[in-house]
Amino acid sequence: MVSARVGRGAVLAAAVLSLLTVPARAATPQADARGAAALPAPDVGGLDAVLRSVLDRGAPGALVRVDDGADAYLVTRGFADRSTRQGISTADRFRIGSVTKSFSAVVLLQLADEHKLDLDAPVNRYLPKLLPDDRITVRHVLSHRSGLYDYTTDMFARSVSGFEAVRDKVFGYRDLIALSLRKPRTNAPGAAYAYSNTNYVVAGLLIEKLTGGSVRGAYEKRLITPLGLRDTFYVHPDTRIPGRHAHGYLTPDDAGAALVDATEQTVSWAQSAGALISSARDLNTFYSALLRGRLLSAARLAEMEHFTRVDATTSYGLGLRRRELSCGVSVYGHTGAVQGFYTYAFASKDGRRTLTAAANTSNNAKVLGALAGTLESAFCGRGTGKALRAPAAGQRDLRQ
């Protein structure tokens, strides 16, 4: 199944996808500074081609939504539910995995704006004796430079058996941190970037300590309700996705083995590092508001956008990724992987153009690499949508 929409309300079939594209202007590095107004029109045909390649590589379904001012570009391919063969929709809710980290970071940065948190203070100032090193600061945690070992490395050494062992389990934050502290730290505090879900479990504990309430309450009060995110939920430890949603299918490690329906799970192994449920519309709304300065002071947003280089095309700030595209444009957001789902959610520097793309499988590097091509079609225009570099051998996709 495929569908596309441009503008508000016009629905078009695959046969006319090519009519939706506008000849692309050459994109330059200056387009990043000027924002979406300088970008070429999204290549809807290119988006569709990327989604077809995502399905060819093993995803049951995939979706993409691009919002650009008054225009929305919607493209879908495949199925939300393999058993009923219900087509996937851009209105479907899904698990967003590590895109949750941006929400957690924004809450803590708001608390910093309210002078309730010092980013350069030791975590142990707020959570005494939690961590073995008083040099680990809140900023180190939010930027993945704490050196805290990622407990999910061991938890999901085998994809299916690891998942089934925790599918219905409920952890406390301190339980997960204890798993991390059984292993040596990867580096001294501040010495290097090393992505670790442990960091954002610490972030969740900080949120609850500083607000006196739950992470769910903080998300709802500070982000979900003010932004009108009607499809965004933190249901932990409930296992269900409320309302219309896509099923998520975990790809086993063994080639040729049947996909595992991983839709229902507590996601307690991730919590504030990756347990939110949302939709393409809501994620675009969130990142647009963030980049437009609606959620943080200018000073705090600038701190969030202070990036450490990760690789040739990616840098990491405070719960925010920057990706550099082939046309010289940089986009800002986060990636997510949780059993059954991959997500890319990114925006132009000015927040005017936003993209969310999702596929309902995981543990499949070919799907992950192909889905990244939606960024090229959405922000660079016609003829640029292609599968980007997949994770290197041995790179686990839950480190998103």
Side-chain angles (χ1 to χ4, degrees):
M1 167 174 286
V2 60
S3 66
R5 187 180 78 186
V6 61
R8 302 295 178 188
V11 179
L12 298 96
V16 296
L17 278 171
S18 62
L19 299 180
L20 301 182
T21 61
V22 176
R25 298 187 298 274
T28 67
Q30 287 73 30
D32 176 47
R34 293 200 303 266
L39 298 176
D43 180 2
V44 181
L47 291 170
D48 179 55
V50 171
L51 296 195
R52 282 188 278 112
S53 72
V54 167
L55 266 61
D56 289 343
R57 288 161 170 77
L63 63 91
V64 61
R65 174 173 178 141
V66 178
D67 284 293
D68 187 9
D71 295 323
Y73 303 80
L74 316 180
V75 186
T76 63
R77 281 271 173 185
F79 300 104
D81 186 332
R82 296 175 72 225
S83 60
T84 65
R85 301 190 64 84
Q86 174 181 319
I88 199 167
S89 166
T90 53
D92 286 341
R93 296 165 179 166
F94 50 89
R95 300 192 185 279
I96 66 173
S98 286
V99 179
T100 303
K101 291 179 172 67
S102 290
F103 285 73
S104 297
V106 168
V107 171
L108 285 176
L109 289 166
Q110 288 180 342
L111 290 166
D113 264 335
E114 296 162 14
H115 307 291
K116 297 175 182 176
L117 175 69
D118 180 351
L119 294 177
D120 294 309
V123 170
N124 286 348
R125 175 186 295 181
Y126 305 102
L127 299 166
K129 299 181 180 180
L130 177 72
L131 301 180
D133 192 331
D134 286 339
R135 295 176 299 166
I136 298 174
T137 68
V138 178
R139 192 184 303 276
H140 291 151
V141 165
L142 294 181
S143 60
H144 293 293
R145 295 185 298 121
S146 69
L148 294 171
Y149 180 79
D150 188 351
Y151 60 87
T152 66
T153 302
D154 302 324
M155 186 177 284
F156 301 121
R158 293 286 296 173
S159 62
V160 176
S161 60
F163 167 63
E164 295 295 357
V166 300
R167 179 198 279 260
D168 297 312
K169 195 166 183 177
V170 178
F171 295 93
Y173 287 116
R174 292 177 185 268
D175 298 329
L176 297 173
I177 294 166
L179 291 175
S180 168
L181 296 182
R182 291 177 186 174
K183 294 295 183 74
R185 278 169 280 158
T186 56
N187 51 261
Y193 168 90
Y195 193 94
S196 173
N197 286 290
T198 308
N199 289 311
Y200 276 79
V201 173
V202 173
L205 203 53
L206 281 167
I207 289 170
E208 296 201 340
K209 174 71 173 182
L210 294 169
T211 64
S214 66
V215 163
R216 176 189 298 178
Y219 291 152
E220 290 176 350
K221 177 181 178 180
R222 293 171 174 273
L223 300 172
I224 294 172
T225 298
L227 294 177
L229 306 182
R230 60 175 180 262
D231 298 318
T232 303
F233 303 91
Y234 186 82
V235 301
H236 174 268
D238 195 347
T239 62
R240 296 164 295 179
I241 300 177
R244 173 167 180 159
H245 62 272
H247 284 239
Y249 298 94
L250 173 61
T251 305
D253 296 326
D254 301 321
L259 298 177
V260 175
D261 191 326
T263 309
E264 294 195 355
Q265 59 166 305
T266 62
V267 203
S268 194
W269 63 265
Q271 299 188 55
S272 50
L276 273 171
I277 294 160
S278 195
S279 68
R281 170 196 168 274
D282 277 9
L283 292 184
N284 285 357
T285 298
F286 168 74
Y287 279 112
S288 179
L290 174 62
L291 272 299
R292 287 174 180 246
R294 291 179 54 198
L295 301 180
L296 299 171
S297 68
R300 294 302 176 197
L301 182 57
E303 288 188 278
M304 194 177 196
E305 295 175 345
H306 184 75
F307 294 101
T308 298
R309 175 68 67 178
V310 174
D311 57 34
T313 60
T314 307
S315 301
Y316 204 92
L318 303 182
L320 192 68
R321 289 191 185 277
R322 182 181 68 200
R323 290 181 69 116
E324 296 158 19
L325 304 181
S326 65
C327 57
V329 170
S330 293
V331 291
Y332 303 77
H334 216 287
T335 49
V338 62
Q339 291 91 351
F341 300 96
Y342 284 135
T343 304
Y344 285 82
F346 284 86
S348 57
K349 185 66 170 66
D350 64 358
R352 179 178 175 184
R353 183 176 298 180
T354 51
L355 165 140
T356 294
N360 58 346
T361 196
S362 66
N363 197 42
N364 184 325
K366 292 181 179 179
V367 167
L368 180 61
L371 192 64
T374 57
L375 296 171
E376 296 281 328
S377 289
F379 294 98
C380 293
R382 190 171 182 179
T384 57
K386 58 183 182 299
L388 301 185
R389 181 176 59 84
Q395 181 178 337
R396 295 170 52 261
D397 65 20
L398 288 173
R399 297 180 184 173
Q400 295 298 314

